[in-house]
Amino acid sequence: MTMSHEVLELKQQGNRFFSQRSYEEAISCYTKALLKNDKVTTIYTNRALCYLKLELWDRVIRDCKLALEIDKKMTKAHFFMGQALTELERYNDAIVAFTLAIENAKSQKQHFGDDLHMALRKTKKKMLKKEEEKRLAEEIELQTLLNKLLIDDLEKEKAKIHSEDEVVEMDKGVSELEKRYTQHIETLNTMFSQLDDRRRKREVPDYLCGKISFEILKDPVITPSGVTYERSDLEEHLQRVGHFDPLTRVPLKREQLIPNLSMKEVVEDFIQKNPWAEYY
């Protein structure tokens, strides 16, 4: 979209304010520019970035949507919107936005380093954490209920003994009953405690994840620069983006990739000990 000199000057002035971290002043400039020309997508995303810095999530989403109405493949609009949606805990929507950003960046051969994939991974981890917290709350509620049921059942059984047995037999029966129910309660609470221990350990170390997709490695390869990637991710990068190492930018060809057998063995050992990691 061609900008008039006046609109361009307002945009550049907004950029200067942004570089000085004067976000409200930058927003004012971008808004004035949009009043004169509301078809410039980069001004919407510039203003959205200011709103991101000010943590005004709904306004970020609004400006990104306005930009996408003009250009539905605008990578930055999807990227910024994904960040705002993540902060609003709308994780599924954020994942869609980040995925579109990644796809558009690849198709347009835009270079965002690891920013897009890292944002997607962080959002997935936050979603998993929220789901875990929900499951934990449900398990605590269930544990409390089961403990109460056992205690209530114990009291009912004790009441039966009181009404049916002689005093000596009654004391003996109550003692045995309490011992048995105490064991039941301890077994129950131990089981829930073990669940908590396993949950706390559900973290895949970063060194077991690819540098592009940030998913756990399945077919790791190492480059001459010494960086390990997931083979499919790196081959796609070489085909769509360019023949260079994504992190070091050193020239790289497909035939230079070497299977990282040591890393593959480490990953397989980790998955064997932590079956949940395969679906992490």
Side-chain angles (χ1 to χ4, degrees):
M1 173 61 66
T2 303
M3 287 182 276
S4 66
H5 176 75
E6 189 176 7
V7 171
L8 180 60
E9 177 58 34
L10 284 167
K11 181 187 177 186
Q12 292 174 340
Q13 186 178 356
N15 293 348
R16 288 192 291 272
F17 277 124
F18 181 86
S19 65
Q20 299 166 7
R21 299 185 180 181
S22 300
Y23 302 125
E24 292 181 354
E25 289 82 355
I27 288 170
S28 177
C29 291
Y30 294 141
T31 301
K32 289 176 183 177
L34 288 168
L35 288 173
K36 297 180 180 299
N37 186 342
D38 62 356
K39 301 298 181 183
V40 184
T41 56
T42 54
I43 298 179
Y44 283 114
T45 53
N46 284 3
R47 190 169 69 175
L49 184 56
C50 292
Y51 288 136
L52 265 179
K53 297 294 185 181
L54 295 172
E55 300 184 358
L56 299 173
W57 316 124
D58 288 331
R59 295 187 183 185
V60 176
I61 295 169
R62 180 199 64 190
D63 272 4
C64 290
K65 285 183 176 179
L66 288 170
L68 291 169
E69 286 178 5
I70 301 168
D71 179 5
K72 65 180 181 180
K73 291 188 175 182
M74 191 175 189
T75 303
K76 283 188 177 180
H78 289 297
F79 182 36
F80 295 158
M81 183 157 64
Q83 293 177 63
L85 289 166
T86 297
E87 295 297 334
L88 293 173
E89 298 187 357
R90 293 170 55 184
Y91 299 123
N92 287 319
D93 292 335
I95 289 170
V96 171
F98 287 135
T99 302
L100 287 170
I102 291 168
E103 291 175 354
N104 292 330
K106 286 181 179 179
S107 66
Q108 297 171 48
K109 295 188 177 181
Q110 298 170 328
H111 306 300
F112 284 82
D114 291 329
D115 291 348
L116 301 180
H117 286 95
M118 187 176 294
L120 177 60
R121 178 170 170 78
K122 285 181 177 179
T123 296
K124 287 182 176 180
K125 290 183 74 171
K126 285 184 177 181
M127 183 172 70
L128 287 170
K129 183 179 179 182
K130 185 177 181 181
E131 291 173 352
E132 284 288 299
E133 289 173 349
K134 181 182 177 182
R135 280 194 291 270
L136 177 59
E138 292 172 347
E139 287 171 9
I140 290 173
E141 184 178 353
L142 177 61
Q143 182 181 6
T144 302
L145 174 62
L146 292 175
N147 272 283
K148 184 178 183 302
L149 290 173
L150 283 170
I151 292 170
D152 289 346
D153 195 47
L154 170 61
E155 294 303 318
K156 289 178 183 177
E157 293 298 319
K158 285 165 66 175
K160 289 181 182 179
I161 293 174
H162 285 149
S163 63
E164 296 173 358
D165 295 340
E166 298 293 333
V167 175
V168 175
E169 291 297 322
M170 180 183 70
D171 290 343
K172 182 180 178 181
V174 168
S175 177
E176 291 177 351
L177 193 64
E178 288 179 340
K179 182 179 179 180
R180 187 166 71 250
Y181 272 83
T182 297
Q183 289 175 342
H184 291 332
I185 291 171
E186 287 178 353
T187 300
L188 173 68
N189 292 331
T190 297
M191 181 184 69
F192 277 99
S193 178
Q194 289 172 345
L195 283 174
D196 288 340
D197 289 340
R198 286 198 293 272
R199 183 183 297 105
R200 279 192 288 270
K201 295 175 182 176
R202 286 191 178 186
E203 185 75 21
V204 177
D206 288 340
Y207 68 85
L208 297 182
C209 298
K211 297 295 189 296
I212 297 177
S213 68
F214 291 93
E215 302 294 335
I216 193 164
L217 292 163
K218 294 181 176 63
D219 185 12
V221 293
I222 190 167
T223 68
S225 299
V227 184
T228 295
Y229 297 94
E230 174 63 32
R231 180 186 292 277
S232 60
D233 294 335
L234 186 53
E235 288 182 348
E236 184 175 7
H237 165 85
L238 294 174
Q239 180 182 354
R240 294 195 177 193
V241 182
H243 294 283
F244 59 88
D245 188 305
L247 288 186
T248 66
R249 301 285 170 172
V250 173
L252 178 66
K253 295 181 179 179
R254 183 176 179 179
E255 51 267 25
Q256 291 178 285
L257 306 183
I258 300 173
N260 192 334
L261 300 178
S262 296
M263 179 59 74
K264 186 175 180 64
E265 186 177 340
V266 171
V267 172
E268 289 175 349
D269 181 66
F270 183 83
I271 291 176
Q272 185 177 4
K273 294 176 180 177
N274 304 275
W276 53 267
E278 194 169 359
Y279 309 100
Y280 183 76

